[in-house]
Amino acid sequence: MNLTLKIWRQKGPKDKGSMVDYKVSDISEHMSFLEMMDVLNEQLINEGKEPVAFDHDCREGICGSCSMFINGEAHGPDRGVTTCQLHMRMFKDGDVITIEPFRAKAFPVIKDLVVDRSSFDRIQHAGGYISVNTSGNTQDANAIPISKHAADEAMDAATCIGCGACVASCKNASAMLFVGAKVSQYALLPQGRIEAVDRVKNMVAQMDLEGFGNCTNTGACEVECPKGISLENIARMNREYLFANIKD
């Protein structure tokens, strides 16, 4: 395939960026999207030009770092995949592909397609954990009975990889699906109930502090989430937050 790529280029956080056109040829439909980007960067290096900066790590849909906004969609036109799992067979010869970083006030651009998602880390630090006695008298987790339904729902919430597609796809740049998933994975388990009140209040407060918007109720986040995190997690977080404030 021969393609035209319109890519956002920005030298640094304080520099003005712009879309730059590139041509790539002989792209195999069996390539992943990132492999196509590798071909482009090799071409740019051979021409003595600056390669396009983009995040990537595992290239297996696990780490969530390879986030790109492709043709107006987080992670591109396919569903249930991250950018590294997107294959070029989703495009046709002669296509024009627009590639941008995830856009959100809380995700400032570092360079080109790389954004700073440390805001997610700070939300996690605010309450996305359980306090465990490590004195040697810890209770075996398997000794606590948990229903199959609760365990399955907690596991579904825990599959969130924190890529930020929910934020990028939301017109309010809301992180409520991410926070809802992180709150839910603990709220559904007995180990997480002990600190449930403080957890949801602290995580929501940090989310607001980071500058994320409120939920739009349009459901774009669930549609474009590569792990299919359900909107039910936002509803659960809202219930947990209401209960926490009533309890106080």
Side-chain angles (χ1 to χ4, degrees):
M1 288 187 290
N2 297 324
L3 304 166
T4 299
L5 309 178
K6 292 181 175 291
I7 302 178
W8 180 261
R9 301 301 308 263
Q10 184 174 335
K11 289 185 177 181
K14 296 182 180 179
D15 294 302
K16 186 177 180 180
S18 63
M19 301 298 292
V20 179
D21 291 1
Y22 298 100
K23 301 282 187 180
V24 288
S25 56
D26 298 325
I27 299 298
S28 168
E29 65 175 9
H30 302 298
M31 285 182 178
S32 72
F33 199 85
L34 294 192
E35 286 172 335
M36 183 274 294
M37 292 295 294
D38 290 338
V39 170
L40 170 64
N41 276 346
E42 185 174 359
Q43 176 182 308
L44 292 175
I45 291 170
N46 289 337
E47 294 172 357
K49 298 177 181 177
E50 180 86 9
V52 178
F54 62 90
D55 267 334
H56 63 96
D57 190 2
C58 72
R59 298 201 178 203
E60 294 179 346
I62 298 170
C63 69
S65 65
C66 62
S67 304
M68 297 182 191
F69 208 63
I70 304 165
N71 284 349
E73 297 179 271
H75 295 302
D78 208 352
R79 290 290 171 264
V81 299
T82 55
T83 301
C84 64
Q85 295 173 300
L86 178 68
H87 281 80
M88 297 311 297
R89 55 179 169 266
M90 297 297 296
F91 303 94
K92 302 188 297 294
D93 182 45
D95 274 357
V96 177
I97 306 174
T98 302
I99 310 169
E100 301 173 83
F102 280 2
R103 303 286 190 183
K105 178 183 177 182
F107 288 167
V109 174
I110 297 174
K111 183 177 181 180
D112 295 340
L113 304 175
V114 181
V115 298
D116 181 357
R117 283 171 289 181
S118 60
S119 52
F120 271 11
D121 296 331
R122 291 187 290 273
I123 292 172
Q124 279 283 79
H125 296 164
Y129 54 85
I130 59 171
S131 298
V132 178
N133 179 5
T134 56
S135 65
N137 297 317
T138 54
Q139 184 178 12
D140 190 325
N142 293 326
I144 305 173
I146 300 171
S147 71
K148 177 70 163 57
H149 179 70
D152 286 347
E153 284 199 318
M155 180 60 74
D156 288 344
T159 59
C160 169
I161 57 176
C163 67
C166 51
V167 175
S169 62
C170 178
K171 56 189 176 184
N172 279 357
S174 172
M176 290 186 73
L177 191 66
F178 167 76
V179 181
K182 299 306 178 184
V183 167
S184 291
Q185 74 180 73
Y186 297 111
L188 288 160
L189 301 176
Q191 295 94 329
R193 294 310 311 169
I194 300 169
E195 298 165 297
V197 169
D198 289 338
R199 176 181 301 111
V200 69
K201 290 177 68 176
N202 291 341
M203 292 184 78
V204 169
Q206 188 63 40
M207 174 183 69
D208 291 341
L209 187 64
E210 296 293 342
F212 291 104
N214 201 5
C215 178
T216 63
N217 297 310
T218 57
C221 53
E222 180 180 354
V223 172
E224 298 198 21
C225 173
K227 299 302 177 181
I229 302 297
S230 172
L231 290 174
E232 291 178 3
N233 292 293
I234 296 179
R236 183 177 295 108
M237 180 185 69
N238 287 336
R239 291 194 298 271
E240 290 285 323
Y241 188 73
L242 178 62
F243 174 77
N245 282 281
I246 291 174
K247 189 172 182 180
D248 275 1

